[in-house]
Amino acid sequence: SPDNQHPWTVEANTLHALLQQVQVVRGGAAKPLFAIDELNNIVPAITDALAHARPDQDIALVSSARHEDNTFYSITAVTGRLFVVDGRLNLIVHDARVDFYDAARGSGMAPHFTIGSRTSEGASQVQSPSATNKRADWLVLSAVSAPPAPAVVPAVPAGMAPPAPVAPPAPV
């Protein structure tokens, strides 16, 4: 696959808003993929990971929370892959609700997670009003742009007038 546009800078609020709209379709009903508390915890880590990733790296995501559509409100995990191509954030979800917690407690073995894949489709179906589906498990979210650089205004010492504007040179 072509190189990603990493490192990539994105505003945390923008990323939070995009991911908050992602839904998983289970049993014909659409539910939020991420819980709000879960998003509050993972967005800073994702923004940092995107800002430090190399073009040949994707971001692996494993996030656990109590999701509202779980049986008995148990702890489950969301697994996926994130990367930026053509100025758009891509999210591939392998598992939307992995029941790792009860399985690990019952077996005494550490859980194994599989993240989303570009080459093989996962079982989860995701959707978002601010995205298009490349596959049922793969969303291409709205354009995510780096925040504009702040304007640099030179400081003027107290009691001094700001410098007069300089006219551009006359054409030759």
Side-chain angles (χ1 to χ4, degrees):
S1 62
D3 278 349
N4 299 322
Q5 289 176 292
H6 298 164
W8 191 261
T9 304
V10 61
E11 291 280 341
N13 291 339
T14 301
L15 182 61
H16 192 284
L18 287 171
L19 294 178
Q20 187 174 356
Q21 295 179 44
V22 176
Q23 298 175 320
V24 58
V25 179
R26 293 178 65 198
K31 298 286 185 178
L33 178 63
F34 299 105
I36 293 297
D37 290 347
E38 180 180 18
L39 277 176
N40 293 339
N41 288 328
I42 66 173
V43 164
I46 294 171
T47 56
D48 185 58
L50 287 169
H52 291 94
R54 295 186 318 256
D56 63 334
Q57 294 177 318
D58 291 354
I59 309 304
L61 170 69
V62 176
S63 177
S64 62
R66 293 185 188 276
H67 299 101
E68 67 182 50
D69 58 327
N70 289 348
T71 307
F72 303 116
Y73 209 55
S74 62
I75 298 172
T76 57
V78 174
T79 65
R81 172 184 303 267
L82 296 113
F83 54 95
V84 177
V85 174
D86 295 330
R88 298 170 69 92
L89 180 65
N90 288 256
L91 169 64
I92 304 172
V93 177
H94 186 273
D95 292 305
R97 301 288 187 266
V98 176
D99 184 14
F100 75 95
Y101 183 75
D102 289 336
R105 276 188 21 191
S107 68
M109 298 184 64
H112 172 76
F113 298 105
T114 304
I115 63 167
S117 170
R118 294 186 196 214
T119 57
S120 61
E121 190 167 348
S124 297
Q125 181 182 352
V126 290
Q127 64 185 26
S128 173
S130 63
T132 56
N133 281 80
K134 192 164 183 171
R135 290 189 318 229
D137 66 333
W138 186 337
L139 289 175
V140 181
L141 294 134
S142 296
V144 179
S145 60
V152 178
V153 178
V156 177
M160 304 242 353
V166 178
V172 177

